[in-house]
Amino acid sequence: MTDHSNEQFKFGTKAIHAGVTPDPTTGAIMTPIFQTSTYVQQGIGKHKGYEYSRTHNPTRTPLEQNLAALENGKYGLCFASGMAATDAVLKLLKAGDEIIACNDLYGGTYRIMTKVFEQFGVKAHFVDMSNPANIEAHINANTRLVWLETPTNPLLTIIDIEAVAKVTRQHGLLLCVDNTFATPYLQNPLDWGADIVMHSATKYLGGHSDVVMGALITNSDELHQRLAFIQNSCGAVPSPHDCFLMLRGIKTLHIRMDRHGENGKAIAEWLLQHPKVDKVYWIGLPTHPKHEVARKQMRGFGGMVSFTLKSDSIEEAAQVVERLQIFAFAESLGGVESICTHPASMTHGSIPREHREKTGLRDSLIRLSVGIEDAQDLINDLAQALN
Ligand code: P1T
């Protein structure tokens, strides 16, 4: 079989074929679900590359290779959730080490850094990375890791990965980029100098709101070995069935992302002219303060759109989300169906109000994960909810 993971193939071909080969015993075109915990060995030290399913599983391996290919990386590792993937990266650190993270980020990432790893002596600083010079002010002899999301959740700030990587390289720090919102279809952080790419694969990669999973991708032999050691030692691995669903979801990532982007554009432009809407956050708007950086490092703008109300009233925001009929009021994002979220009370509730207010996450902020339904139906839904 041809290896479809190499650079001669374009994204759509890699999404469908990289890492995946027909089953050699039956010819099954879809990777079988190897629902097994262990593997019969021929003798001491004699086996077919699989010993125990926490360490390796033949449904997980193609998925890990597929994700590596999509991110232009050498190695991929899958985890039981996005947070389990983040946890593995943070376990590269030891007591006394410090992290510099972006100040607008998923609430769960803030929580694991402040409430879990701080107990083990790892300290996190949260800084505005829209100006990469701000990072240098927080670097000291204990700094080990810079963590960023771009676009950020939920304010859709864009951070210049190349500019941050210049700083991390200069100071010998690790750079991990959470690429959940962009997906590898729109952005490849390793190409801009990141050391590790992290995904909540739960979102666009899976794409159908039916799997919770995380992933890490790197080009470094040493980092891969250390992360694979943590994956196996700590054991937060995904099930074979979930790996099958993820492989299936990824096959349509490129066409889903195109439609998410088209619908996102239509909705952002419609919201902009609505009299009750105050700010619209969508990275494809030429008025977005970092639109040019987005154009540089991304190949499209995606379907995440946030907005605030002129009243800035939490009661009015609650009415809007309750009136929406097609947009489901729920946590999560990235599925084919449209979802609306109230970050201040849901996904970012674990971030203290003072911190939220400092970053501009207002109480009336509504986050839309624009799905791939008909754009006019989605606009009509928003119109009836806002009026
Ligand atoms: O939910 P999980 O797969 O564990 O991934 C955590 C995570 C990490 N990074 C980003 C940018 C995320 O958005 C998430 C999960 N976010 C949501 C559930 C949400 O609604 O924002």
Side-chain angles (χ1 to χ4, degrees):
M1 273 303 285
T2 315
D3 175 9
H4 294 89
S5 53
N6 69 32
E7 281 165 18
Q8 81 184 83
F9 293 103
K10 301 261 189 318
F11 193 92
T13 311
K14 291 201 282 186
I16 294 168
H17 295 288
V20 177
T21 45
D23 177 47
T25 55
T26 61
I29 195 161
M30 294 300 292
T31 306
I33 302 171
F34 285 94
Q35 194 72 47
T36 187
S37 59
T38 192
Y39 308 83
V40 178
Q41 305 189 20
Q42 288 73 57
I44 293 175
K46 284 192 226 154
H47 54 74
K48 299 181 174 170
Y50 292 94
E51 297 159 90
Y52 188 59
S53 275
R54 171 163 29 77
T55 322
H56 296 112
N57 174 280
T59 317
R60 198 172 89 213
T61 306
L63 172 61
E64 293 181 333
Q65 290 173 351
N66 179 273
L67 285 167
L70 296 187
E71 280 292 7
N72 299 334
K74 238 164 116 176
Y75 305 105
L77 292 169
C78 289
F79 293 83
S81 66
M83 289 318 302
T86 300
D87 178 64
V89 174
L90 300 182
K91 283 173 177 159
L92 293 169
L93 307 178
K94 58 177 181 354
D97 289 349
E98 295 189 10
I99 307 165
I100 302 175
C102 55
N103 64 350
D104 182 44
L105 79 177
Y106 173 55
T109 309
Y110 178 90
R111 181 174 57 198
I112 195 173
M113 288 178 182
T114 55
K115 296 272 159 53
V116 180
F117 278 84
E118 210 166 290
Q119 289 191 93
F120 296 110
V122 174
K123 184 160 177 46
H125 304 270
F126 297 90
V127 313
D128 174 7
M129 293 190 186
S130 59
N131 177 6
N134 293 343
I135 298 171
E136 281 188 277
H138 288 84
I139 296 176
N140 61 42
N142 298 323
T143 312
R144 293 286 173 272
L145 171 69
V146 171
W147 180 284
L148 67 88
E149 277 176 21
T150 181
T152 62
N153 179 1
L155 292 172
L156 298 156
T157 303
I158 295 290
I159 298 168
D160 186 332
I161 304 169
E162 188 183 26
V164 174
K166 218 170 131 197
V167 176
T168 55
R169 291 259 158 98
Q170 228 170 33
H171 293 269
L173 310 176
L174 278 180
L175 172 59
C176 182
V177 175
D178 180 338
N179 204 27
T180 300
F181 271 35
T183 82
Y185 181 59
L186 300 182
Q187 173 173 276
N188 292 120
L190 297 177
D191 292 351
W192 298 105
D195 299 295
I196 304 169
V197 172
M198 177 267 162
H199 279 283
S200 169
T202 315
K203 310 299 178 327
Y204 289 105
L205 291 176
H208 296 75
S209 307
D210 52 9
V211 184
V212 172
M213 194 185 289
L216 299 176
I217 300 100
T218 182
N219 266 316
S220 152
D221 299 349
E222 189 221 331
L223 276 175
H224 171 69
Q225 276 167 21
R226 290 176 65 199
L227 290 166
F229 179 82
I230 293 167
Q231 182 197 42
N232 186 43
S233 305
C234 301
V237 291
S239 75
H241 185 250
D242 283 353
C243 292
F244 173 86
L245 287 172
M246 189 56 58
L247 275 167
R248 186 165 85 154
I250 289 171
K251 289 183 196 296
T252 55
L253 177 64
H254 46 304
I255 53 174
R256 285 187 282 110
M257 288 310 289
D258 282 342
R259 180 63 78 87
H260 282 297
E262 283 166 30
N263 285 0
K265 179 176 196 290
I267 284 173
E269 286 172 353
W270 182 84
L271 284 169
L272 264 186
Q273 53 72 50
H274 196 283
K276 286 197 179 156
V277 171
D278 186 16
K279 273 185 135 177
V280 178
Y281 302 82
W282 184 62
I283 57 176
L285 293 171
T287 48
H288 185 288
K290 294 285 171 185
H291 179 66
E292 285 313 312
V293 181
R295 289 193 89 88
K296 177 185 84 164
Q297 68 190 18
M298 300 179 74
R299 294 178 284 269
F301 307 115
M304 294 303 297
V305 180
S306 295
F307 66 98
T308 52
L309 299 172
K310 284 212 173 109
S311 63
D312 200 26
S313 141
I314 192 164
E315 291 78 18
E316 200 181 343
Q319 279 175 3
V320 172
V321 297
E322 282 165 25
R323 281 194 204 124
L324 283 165
Q325 301 286 314
I326 303 177
F327 283 86
F329 180 47
E331 301 209 12
S332 204
L333 57 112
V336 291
E337 56 287 292
S338 292
I339 286 183
C340 71
T341 305
H342 181 246
S345 67
M346 297 165 87
T347 52
H348 293 69
S350 51
I351 299 179
R353 176 184 283 271
E354 322 83 76
H355 181 103
R356 286 203 310 264
E357 281 174 355
K358 245 194 264 166
T359 61
L361 199 176
R362 284 160 49 187
D363 277 353
S364 75
L365 188 89
I366 295 173
R367 189 190 75 185
L368 301 178
S369 169
V370 178
I372 63 170
E373 301 97 332
D374 183 88
Q376 192 56 52
D377 286 337
L378 296 177
I379 287 172
N380 293 347
D381 193 26
L382 284 163
Q384 65 79 20
L386 278 163
N387 293 336

